[in-house]
Amino acid sequence: MPRGESPLDPDAGPLFEFAAGLRKLREQAGRPTYRDLARRTHYGIATLSSAAAGRQLPSLAVTLAYVRACGGDEREWKLIWQRTADACTGTDASTGTGAENRRTSAAKPPYAGLAAFREADAAYFFGREKLTAALVEHLKEKRLLVLFGASGSGKSSVLRAGVLPAFPDVPSLVFTPGPNPLEECAVRLAARAGTAPGPVHAGLTAEPRTFHRMVRQILAGQQQEGPAADELLVVVDQFEEVFTLCRDVRERERFVTALVHAAQGPGSRTRVAIAVRSDFYTHCTRLPGLVDALPHAHRPVGPMTAEELRAAIVQPAARSRLTVESALLTTLTADAHGRPGALPLLSHALLETWRRRRGNALTLAGYRAAGGIEGALSQTAEEFHDALDDSRRRAARRLFLRLVALGEGTEDTKRRVPRQELDSGPDTAFVLEQATRARLLTADAGHVEITHEALIRCWPRLGAWLEEDRGRERRHRALTEAATVWESLNRDPDTLYRGVRLAAAKDLPPEGLTARERAFLDASEAAARQAQERDRRRLRRLRRLAGALAVLLVCAVAAAGFAVRAQDTLTRQRNEAVALRAADEAVRLSPHHPSLAVQVALGAYRQTRQDRTRDALLNTLSVASIGPRTAGPGRSGRAPAQHTPAGHTPAVPADGRVLAMADGARIVLWDMRDPRQPRRLGTTDGVGLGPIQFTRDGDTLIGVDSKGTLRLWDVTDPLRPRALSKRPTEHTGYVYSVAVRPDGRVAATGSYDDTIRLWDISDPARPRMLDELTGHDDDVKPVVFGPDGKTLASGSNDHDVRIWDVTDPRHASLIATLTGHEHFVDALAYSPDGRTLLSGSDDHTARLWDISDLPRHSGLGRLARHTDIVTGVAFASHGRTAVTVGIDGVVEAWDMTDRARPVPLAHLTNPRGTVKEVRYLKADGTFLTVTAHHSVQIWYTDIGRALTDACDRVHGSISRAQWARYFPRLAYEPPCPRRF
């Protein structure tokens, strides 16, 4: 139940009357929730609720959006807002002075806004003196610096405006890697050396030492012209682009090797500073050229202290002869302190406050009018969007989507795009100009990019665009890259799209394609038509051959028999090829046209009963099984978010009737007795909730939040979950997992502090710690109790699995250590009989272990059908099947009847990409998976049940035209005919 609004303060004067009017307007509109208002207006919930709180005057844009969503008169409320603003500030808008004149002032702002501070802005860069001194000292001593920090922590600014000015006599080279880091590096070095970039690029590709030699050439040339420095300072900003934009693994490794050798090789004349987002730390450890240097080269960028924040706010203003109200300084410090990634939001809010300054004073009223630290960026973006007409809004959507690199298990990042990739139409040019003026985008002569990734996180409208159809955006990005390669190879026909990729690209909206992309698709379609013509000629030759064989039938009985067999073989092979192509098409169709996809897959399976057609049928049925379908504006066929489970961590009790989903801020309970029609039950509150787990009877739910607090809830009545207790776990690192013993009396938590803690939860209202298990040499990840409750298994980043005796949880002891994985252990599952353990790892494999006679144990075999990290494993309750899932988006089902030789049961593909979790729901083989984007998918692998239920998912029989498209030259046999 939503909380009621706080009572208004009658002493607030004009703000009281203004807020009371907004609340009355909301009452007249039927009291829509602020979540509903946020969806209608594209402003945040906090921004809209504070507008009617009576504590500060919202901006005019927020006010009119609130009124529009409640069906009020916008012209009337514009006058009400102006009167209230005049009453609060004591000014008269009719005089033509004040904010508008200040907004058009030509004075240089003392704040950078979303953009990073540059070397030229060093005079206005304050608050990071201590960090800057440490980084300068590090570079002088060690020559290689890898600076890790969260997005928005100020990495770029401290390097450009802090470190670079500390080396005044040292020439510098500053660049971002982009999609081709070696080429970008070659262009920058060649420009400094005054030579052509082609030979430099070839040299870097063939020999990493070329970088060092080019630096020596550059410095030698400068010394010939006069006194010059004998070193070069290289700054590589946004290093995460080598993972998000560069697709060539070999080029990525050569680029890193060249940088490290230039900084640490014998006779080095180069100092190298690299800035990379902290969520890409694990990616960096997979680079052979960098992993050995990281322990001595990496430095973290932490949040600013309160004193540093005050310096960053006050000192730039003082430098410009401005003052900052003490109330504004207090509010800004409180809003930004302790918030990761808040610096670009703070800088943007200060810039907007400066534009609304009163004389030479930055005021709290100006800060609030700008929308505060939460709303300033969203307000600027919405004002930019609202000023566009419909045609330019569509152009803006296409432009901003093109400037975002979609994350794979990480947050979305900005993407630096060459201008020739953009459409050259007038709408795009106008939108680019206006967005650049609003400082939302940064453009130079050759490239365009989003000014800061904070815009991706803080502009709800852009977030909604990205989530509407991520699959389509990935296909569009792949088309863009393919068109670029095609042009770079002089339009080589071998690089054109064919088959499924061409069909998928043709589904993209044509108005969103650039001229180059349309030309690429046109050439691909022309090549496809030529291939079809060649196929038709080949088919005619085959038909003539069949006719010749028929003539031979007249000549001899033996020849006739041979001809008949040849014709049958030809027909069977043709039908088999058609069915396999149709199966592939069905998987592609399933997210967008589930009813048609089921019929195509069912028809393909009936034509050819092979593993490939069986997997396609199971794929299409699973895709179509997440709640009721809607035909909303996104055309994706997905159920509304409030009717479909979503989150990042699932928990399921032994009976599989209830599902708990943690989405960070809360846990939502779902009735899963009919997995195809989940029903929402109750909700618990929490802060940054992570791992969760039910007791076996399903009456108690246990979880750990991001602050390391152990929380327990009574969920006997899942409609009304009740908090029982919470207490600190006292782990010093992130708590990755939680497990509950089958008897529900003991719990375990695994943490990145390399330890496991055991808890007595026999009295859920007063949990207490029993024992701390140590022995792992790195982060502890999964923990799981054995079915008999006497053993506990744990996996770790030290590559080992450990088995513990927890018969007496107060004095637990190590029984065995299972070794064999070559990378981090991410997932564990016991078989129901407790005789087998299944583990999943970053080494792309899952392993089976025989633990029936501990401490003796042995490896039974490897399940190695994944191409990336195995993130989740699970046994069915009967123990005859198991499932493994991974970053590659593949869901593998296995027949475990003979655990020494497990047999693949089904190879399924999740349409929403990376799969992070898997849980079985029922003994009939139904299970669910959770993707990196928090969507939930229901699956089952019983082909008999699939054949029985398939037509129940169909809405309208496949037409003759559709049949001819997917089953050419086969008789029309709809698998699910109309029922009259």
Side-chain angles (χ1 to χ4, degrees), residues 170-187:
V170 177
S172 59
L173 193 68
V174 184
F175 65 97
T176 57
N180 305 106
L182 276 182
E183 181 180 334
E184 185 70 24
C185 185
V187 169

Side-chain angles (χ1 to χ4, degrees), residues 349-572:
L350 282 167
L351 177 61
E352 293 300 313
T353 304
W354 174 83
R355 289 173 173 166
R356 293 164 174 81
R357 65 192 182 280
R358 184 182 299 137
N360 69 336
L362 275 65
T363 66
L364 181 60
Y367 172 69
R368 288 174 172 169
I373 196 170
E374 289 284 355
L377 178 54
S378 176
Q379 180 174 311
T380 299
E382 281 301 311
E383 288 174 352
F384 151 75
H385 185 267
D386 291 344
L388 304 175
D389 58 27
D390 289 343
S391 174
R392 287 168 175 169
R393 287 179 181 178
R394 290 191 292 270
R397 172 177 173 149
R398 295 194 297 268
L399 174 61
F400 277 89
L401 288 178
R402 192 176 287 273
L403 295 176
V404 176
L406 301 178
E408 284 287 357
T410 59
E411 292 184 353
D412 297 335
T413 57
K414 65 178 183 177
R415 176 172 175 258
R416 194 161 179 255
V417 171
R419 281 183 178 267
Q420 61 264 29
E421 184 180 314
L422 303 178
D423 201 351
S424 58
D427 286 346
T428 301
F430 180 85
V431 168
L432 179 59
E433 175 66 23
Q434 296 304 310
T436 304
R437 288 185 179 180
R439 297 199 177 190
L440 301 175
L441 300 182
T442 300
D444 55 29
H447 295 81
V448 178
E449 63 181 335
I450 291 174
T451 302
H452 199 280
E453 287 165 356
L455 182 67
I456 303 174
R457 302 193 305 269
C458 298
W459 189 14
R461 186 184 298 275
L462 178 55
W465 289 343
L466 289 169
E467 290 302 323
E468 186 171 304
D469 193 339
R470 298 180 73 88
R472 184 177 66 191
E473 291 306 319
R474 293 186 193 280
R475 293 197 302 275
H476 193 172
R477 199 58 41 76
L479 172 62
T480 302
E481 294 175 0
T484 302
V485 171
W486 178 60
E487 283 206 339
S488 68
L489 297 178
N490 296 321
R491 302 198 169 192
D492 184 349
D494 289 339
T495 62
L496 293 172
Y497 271 1
R498 291 175 174 81
V500 174
R501 289 199 301 172
L502 176 58
K506 287 167 64 177
D507 287 342
L508 294 173
E511 64 273 9
L513 305 181
T514 63
R516 179 171 60 176
E517 292 164 353
R518 285 193 290 269
F520 175 77
L521 278 185
D522 290 343
S524 296
E525 288 187 281
R529 286 193 296 270
Q530 293 174 0
Q532 289 173 356
E533 180 60 31
R534 288 194 297 270
D535 289 343
R536 280 194 290 269
R537 289 196 296 269
R538 189 179 299 112
L539 182 59
R540 285 196 294 269
R541 287 196 297 270
L542 290 173
R543 286 174 174 170
R544 286 195 291 270
L545 175 60
L549 291 174
V551 171
L552 290 176
L553 284 173
V554 180
C555 301
V557 174
F562 173 79
V564 169
R565 287 194 300 273
Q567 182 66 32
D568 290 342
T569 300
L570 183 64
T571 303
R572 185 175 64 257

Side-chain angles (χ1 to χ4, degrees), residues 30 32 46 101 150 167 180 227 259 280 326 334 450 581 697 715 816 841 954:
N101 284 346
F167 293 87
N180 305 106
L259 288 177
F280 284 86
S326 59
I450 291 174
R581 282 197 300 269
D697 58 12
V715 291
S841 167
V954 170

Side-chain angles (χ1 to χ4, degrees), residues 428-755:
T428 301
F430 180 85
V431 168
L432 179 59
E433 175 66 23
Q434 296 304 310
T436 304
R437 288 185 179 180
R439 297 199 177 190
L440 301 175
L441 300 182
T442 300
D444 55 29
H447 295 81
V448 178
E449 63 181 335
I450 291 174
T451 302
H452 199 280
E453 287 165 356
L455 182 67
I456 303 174
R457 302 193 305 269
C458 298
W459 189 14
R461 186 184 298 275
L462 178 55
W465 289 343
L466 289 169
E467 290 302 323
E468 186 171 304
D469 193 339
R470 298 180 73 88
R472 184 177 66 191
E473 291 306 319
R474 293 186 193 280
R475 293 197 302 275
H476 193 172
R477 199 58 41 76
L479 172 62
T480 302
E481 294 175 0
T484 302
V485 171
W486 178 60
E487 283 206 339
S488 68
L489 297 178
N490 296 321
R491 302 198 169 192
D492 184 349
D494 289 339
T495 62
L496 293 172
Y497 271 1
R498 291 175 174 81
V500 174
R501 289 199 301 172
L502 176 58
K506 287 167 64 177
D507 287 342
L508 294 173
E511 64 273 9
L513 305 181
T514 63
R516 179 171 60 176
E517 292 164 353
R518 285 193 290 269
F520 175 77
L521 278 185
D522 290 343
S524 296
E525 288 187 281
R529 286 193 296 270
Q530 293 174 0
Q532 289 173 356
E533 180 60 31
R534 288 194 297 270
D535 289 343
R536 280 194 290 269
R537 289 196 296 269
R538 189 179 299 112
L539 182 59
R540 285 196 294 269
R541 287 196 297 270
L542 290 173
R543 286 174 174 170
R544 286 195 291 270
L545 175 60
L549 291 174
V551 171
L552 290 176
L553 284 173
V554 180
C555 301
V557 174
F562 173 79
V564 169
R565 287 194 300 273
Q567 182 66 32
D568 290 342
T569 300
L570 183 64
T571 303
R572 185 175 64 257
Q573 291 175 346
R574 181 200 65 186
N575 293 350
E576 180 177 306
V578 169
L580 292 177
R581 282 197 300 269
D584 293 340
E585 288 289 324
V587 174
R588 185 186 63 81
L589 284 171
S590 56
H592 312 288
H593 306 288
S595 177
L596 176 59
V598 168
Q599 295 181 81
V600 173
L602 185 56
Y605 183 77
R606 289 178 176 174
Q607 287 288 339
T608 302
R609 301 202 172 196
Q610 295 186 6
D611 291 349
R612 191 162 148 194
T613 55
R614 178 204 61 200
D615 292 345
L617 179 58
L618 294 174
N619 257 306
T620 57
L621 290 172
S622 297
V623 168
S625 65
I626 331 175
R629 297 283 163 180
T630 61
R635 304 186 300 278
S636 64
R638 291 180 292 180
Q642 63 267 31
H643 300 312
T644 304
H648 59 78
T649 306
V652 180
D655 59 17
R657 292 183 298 174
V658 176
L659 166 67
M661 288 299 302
D663 65 357
R666 60 183 178 175
I667 298 174
V668 181
L669 300 176
W670 298 85
D671 182 348
M672 299 299 290
R673 284 176 290 186
D674 181 359
R676 287 179 291 171
Q677 299 292 332
R679 183 170 62 89
R680 183 167 177 157
L681 300 172
T683 303
T684 72
D685 291 326
V687 178
L689 287 165
I692 57 175
Q693 188 63 268
F694 279 101
T695 55
R696 187 173 183 82
D697 58 12
D699 292 340
T700 306
L701 183 64
I702 182 171
V704 181
D705 63 22
S706 60
K707 296 181 179 179
T709 302
L710 187 71
R711 294 169 176 261
L712 286 91
W713 295 270
D714 180 356
V715 291
T716 308
D717 180 1
L719 289 171
R720 299 172 184 83
R722 179 172 57 88
L724 293 174
S725 64
K726 61 179 181 179
R727 64 150 292 167
T729 61
E730 299 178 3
H731 280 295
T732 59
Y734 171 74
V735 179
Y736 184 91
S737 58
V738 63
V740 181
R741 201 166 70 178
D743 63 3
R745 301 177 63 84
V746 177
T749 54
S751 169
Y752 279 10
D753 64 6
D754 306 350
T755 69

Side-chain angles (χ1 to χ4, degrees), residues 268-406:
S268 170
R269 308 283 292 277
T270 311
R271 302 184 191 273
V272 178
I274 297 172
V276 58
R277 266 181 26 190
S278 54
D279 53 333
F280 284 86
Y281 183 88
T282 303
H283 295 67
C284 291
T285 63
R286 297 172 187 164
L287 293 173
L290 188 59
V291 66
D292 292 336
L294 273 181
H296 308 290
H298 87 282
R299 293 295 294 262
V301 179
M304 296 178 77
T305 66
E307 287 298 325
E308 290 174 332
L309 283 171
R310 282 191 282 270
I313 296 167
V314 173
Q315 294 299 330
R319 177 78 66 163
S320 297
R321 300 182 182 276
L322 299 172
T323 61
V324 179
E325 270 187 359
S326 59
L328 172 60
L329 178 60
T330 301
T331 301
L332 281 168
T333 305
D335 287 350
H337 188 244
R339 292 187 52 181
L343 294 185
L345 301 180
L346 173 65
S347 185
H348 181 76
L350 282 167
L351 177 61
E352 293 300 313
T353 304
W354 174 83
R355 289 173 173 166
R356 293 164 174 81
R357 65 192 182 280
R358 184 182 299 137
N360 69 336
L362 275 65
T363 66
L364 181 60
Y367 172 69
R368 288 174 172 169
I373 196 170
E374 289 284 355
L377 178 54
S378 176
Q379 180 174 311
T380 299
E382 281 301 311
E383 288 174 352
F384 151 75
H385 185 267
D386 291 344
L388 304 175
D389 58 27
D390 289 343
S391 174
R392 287 168 175 169
R393 287 179 181 178
R394 290 191 292 270
R397 172 177 173 149
R398 295 194 297 268
L399 174 61
F400 277 89
L401 288 178
R402 192 176 287 273
L403 295 176
V404 176
L406 301 178

